[in-house]
């Protein structure tokens, strides 16, 4: 007799991930077809020669620079919101694809002339995660626990459940992300305390204060910045290198989407390396054709200190949501007993130092921030 399989899903702004409980009763991430633990939350609607092809995940990410107007990412920031929401308006100005108003006033997106709801886009990401789990178990998966930001209102929660339903998944529970993170660190065991969960991903920054009393976890305040994340760091790095290449070689990389795409991929890689090492190498052969007709083979070493300098304006924006989260629940920043870091960007030492200086204590070391949300499965 087949039993109903249930999975845990972190439906992230930038990346998503699916997990299960393994035979030892421990949470385990299920890798996608490419062997990656996370799958980009992206959907791309065909290049011009192949207009109707819809691809998701890594395949969509590969088109992000060459097909920007039709590659949809970060729709979690739009889901369940109205088009007139000031945050949507602000976001729309920074996105390379079109955000439009649905007949009922909801924020929708547009690709290849089609009006599409964020729920439908998210459902395509969820479908890929469901297929990842189905391949792993070799049987259908019908139920999921999905994590959502603590500050999601009813409309955003319902829209997330609707996205799951379109993907053929019944939502067993929507779990607040900071609660999942606190559970993942075992914060509910031991003494009563207040934990600040700082979640910095690709496109958003969320700070929640979680109160733990008698093993009961409660999110007592949650603040977010919808426009703060790894993308800003990527953009700062791109702008710097584009400027240098223009200055030193007279070549405008902005005119060549393929080169931009390669540069971006290498810079993101360098950013990751710089979380571990003090310097990283860029080595891009045939990056473009110089005005002289010669080919540019671009090489440059990036020091961690240089990167930290480029992103100073970004680092400064981390303060406000942290301070506001404490103010909103009426506690002093010094009343926070421990800090939990979540999200890929918190691997960056400059971010860890910044958060430590705001709270006046070192954050808990993060082993695998992407995975933390899944450890909550153990509690179910
Ligand atoms: P998430 O949405 O939590 O998956 O975070 C994605 C963001 O984290 C992207 O901007 C990644 O480039 C960034 N990221 C992932 N790993 C690292 C790392 N080791 N160092 C710096 N940034 C990282």
């Amino acid at each position: 007799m087949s039993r109903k399989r249930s999975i845990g899903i972190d439906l992230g702004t930038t990346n998503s991930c699916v997990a299960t409980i393994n035979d030892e009763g421990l949470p385990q991430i299920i890798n996608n077809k490419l062997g990656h633990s996370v799958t980009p939350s992206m959907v791309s609607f065909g290049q011009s020669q192949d207009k109707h092809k819809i691809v998701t995940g890594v395949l969509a990410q590969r088109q992000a620079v060459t097909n920007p107007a039709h590659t949809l990412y970060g729709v979690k920031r739009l889901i369940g919101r109205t088009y007139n929401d000031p945050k949507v308006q602000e976001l729309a100005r920074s996105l390379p694809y079109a955000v439009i108003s649905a007949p009922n006033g909801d924020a929708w997106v547009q690709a290849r002339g089609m009006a599409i709801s964020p729920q439908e886009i998210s459902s395509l990401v969820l479908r890929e995660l469901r297929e990842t789990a189905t391949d792993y178990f070799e049987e259908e998966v019908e139920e999921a626990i999905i994590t959502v930001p603590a500050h999601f209102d009813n409309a955003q929660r319902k829209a997330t459940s609707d996205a799951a339903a379109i993907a053929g998944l019944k939502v067993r529970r929507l779990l607040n992300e900071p609660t999942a993170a606190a559970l993942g660190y075992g914060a509910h065991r031991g003494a009563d305390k207040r934990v600040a969960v700082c979640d910095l991903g690709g496109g958003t920054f969320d700070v929640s204060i979680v109160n733990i009393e008698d093993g009961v976890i409660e999110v007592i305040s949650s603040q977010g910045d919808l426009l703060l994340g790894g993308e800003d760091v990527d953009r700062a790095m791109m702008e710097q290198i584009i400027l240098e290449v223009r200055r030193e070689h007279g070549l405008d990389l902005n005119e060549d989407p393929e080169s931009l795409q390669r540069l971006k991929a290498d810079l993101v890689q360098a950013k990751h390396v710089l979380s571990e090492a003090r310097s990283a190498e860029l080595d891009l052969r045939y990056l473009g054709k110089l005005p002289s007709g010669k080919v540019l083979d671009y090489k440059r070493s990036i020091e961690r200190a240089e990167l930290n300098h480029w992103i100073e304006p970004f680092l400064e924006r981390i303060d406000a949501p942290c301070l506001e989260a404490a103010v909103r629940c009426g506690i002093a920043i010094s009343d926070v007993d421990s800090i939990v870091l979540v999200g890929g960007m918190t691997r960056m030492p400059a971010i860890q130092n910044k958060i430590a200086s705001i709270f006046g204590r070192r954050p808990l070391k993060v082993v695998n921030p992407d995975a933390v949300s899944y450890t909550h499965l153990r509690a179910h």
Side-chain angles (χ1 to χ4, degrees):
M1 206 178 71
S2 77
R3 58 202 165 101
K4 272 197 181 153
R5 289 283 186 187
S6 177
I7 48 177
I9 291 179
D10 172 4
L11 182 59
T13 306
T14 316
N15 290 304
S16 295
C17 181
V18 54
T20 185
I21 297 288
N22 67 18
D23 293 340
E24 283 93 57
L26 297 173
Q28 181 188 324
I29 291 188
I30 306 174
N31 286 348
N32 65 21
K33 278 193 214 94
L34 299 168
H36 303 165
S37 59
V38 295
T39 297
S41 311
M42 284 189 170
V43 178
S44 189
F45 291 73
Q47 302 274 31
S48 46
Q49 67 273 29
D50 195 2
K51 283 198 166 126
H52 302 292
K53 189 145 188 240
I54 302 174
V55 291
T56 57
V58 170
L59 296 181
Q61 189 179 40
R62 287 190 189 141
Q63 297 191 13
V65 178
T66 52
N67 185 26
H70 310 284
T71 301
L72 309 173
Y73 65 92
V75 298
K76 184 173 173 181
R77 295 181 286 189
L78 301 169
I79 201 164
R81 291 182 187 267
T82 60
Y83 180 72
N84 288 329
D85 181 329
K87 290 199 168 139
V88 169
Q89 291 297 313
E90 192 185 350
L91 192 56
R93 283 193 287 277
S94 72
L95 290 171
Y97 57 82
V99 178
I100 56 170
S101 178
N104 69 354
D106 282 353
W108 280 22
V109 292
Q110 199 171 32
R112 301 277 170 219
M114 292 179 287
I116 314 160
S117 68
Q119 289 86 318
E120 284 172 275
I121 299 300
S122 291
S123 81
L124 293 170
V125 176
L126 287 167
R127 197 177 290 275
E128 176 162 345
L129 297 173
R130 182 184 176 203
E131 277 165 14
T132 294
T134 303
D135 290 349
Y136 176 81
F137 292 123
E138 296 180 345
E139 64 182 43
E140 279 305 322
V141 173
E142 288 160 9
E143 292 189 344
I145 297 165
I146 301 180
T147 52
V148 287
H151 52 74
F152 257 25
D153 64 16
N154 287 341
Q156 290 166 305
R157 285 166 197 265
K158 164 140 192 341
T160 304
S161 295
D162 290 347
I166 302 170
L169 283 168
K170 185 167 171 290
V171 175
R172 253 181 60 194
R173 186 168 169 196
L174 291 177
L175 186 68
N176 283 333
E177 287 163 6
T179 306
L183 276 168
Y185 278 99
H188 55 304
R189 288 188 283 271
D192 294 351
K193 54 183 158 305
R194 286 204 186 104
V195 180
V197 178
C198 301
D199 183 349
L200 186 62
T204 52
F205 180 42
D206 289 326
V207 187
S208 302
I209 308 289
V210 179
N211 193 49
I212 298 165
E213 221 171 302
D214 299 330
V216 176
I217 301 181
E218 190 193 355
V219 180
I220 54 174
S221 96
S222 193
Q223 285 297 302
D225 186 334
L226 276 186
L227 290 165
L228 189 68
E231 276 168 31
D232 299 273
V233 171
D234 303 347
R235 203 174 306 120
M237 296 177 87
M238 288 284 276
E239 280 169 9
Q240 179 66 30
I241 301 299
I242 289 169
L243 187 81
E244 288 180 9
V245 169
R246 193 183 300 130
R247 227 188 257 150
E248 288 161 25
H249 304 283
L251 177 70
D252 187 0
L253 291 174
N254 281 317
E255 283 170 11
D256 184 353
E258 301 279 341
S259 297
L260 281 181
Q261 175 138 325
R262 286 178 56 213
L263 178 62
K264 170 139 192 222
D266 267 40
L267 284 174
V268 170
Q269 199 54 45
K271 174 180 79 171
H272 295 185
V273 168
L274 289 170
S275 292
E276 306 297 326
R278 300 243 158 225
S279 74
E281 303 301 321
L282 289 181
D283 188 355
L284 288 142
R285 275 160 202 266
Y286 311 110
L287 188 59
K289 220 173 191 180
L290 298 172
S292 65
K294 273 173 87 184
V295 165
L296 174 65
D297 289 331
Y298 186 73
K299 278 187 181 218
R300 189 199 196 284
S301 165
I302 303 179
E303 302 299 310
R304 186 190 280 174
E306 267 181 301
L307 174 61
N308 292 349
H309 176 60
W310 297 340
I311 65 165
E312 270 164 16
F314 166 85
L315 291 172
E316 272 168 28
R317 292 174 58 203
I318 292 184
D319 289 84
C322 297
L323 302 175
E324 187 70 20
V327 167
R328 287 282 173 102
C329 61
I331 65 165
I333 210 97
S334 55
D335 291 337
V336 169
D337 301 301
S338 60
I339 304 163
V340 168
L341 298 182
V342 191
M345 281 301 297
T346 61
R347 291 196 176 107
M348 209 171 173
I351 308 266
Q352 297 183 355
N353 292 341
K354 178 73 192 174
I355 292 173
S357 80
I358 295 170
F359 288 95
R361 63 176 64 238
R362 295 298 310 165
L364 286 185
K365 263 289 175 217
V366 180
V367 181
N368 183 358
D370 304 320
V372 76
S373 300
Y374 300 101
T375 37
H376 70 270
L377 282 169
R378 198 187 308 198
H380 285 262

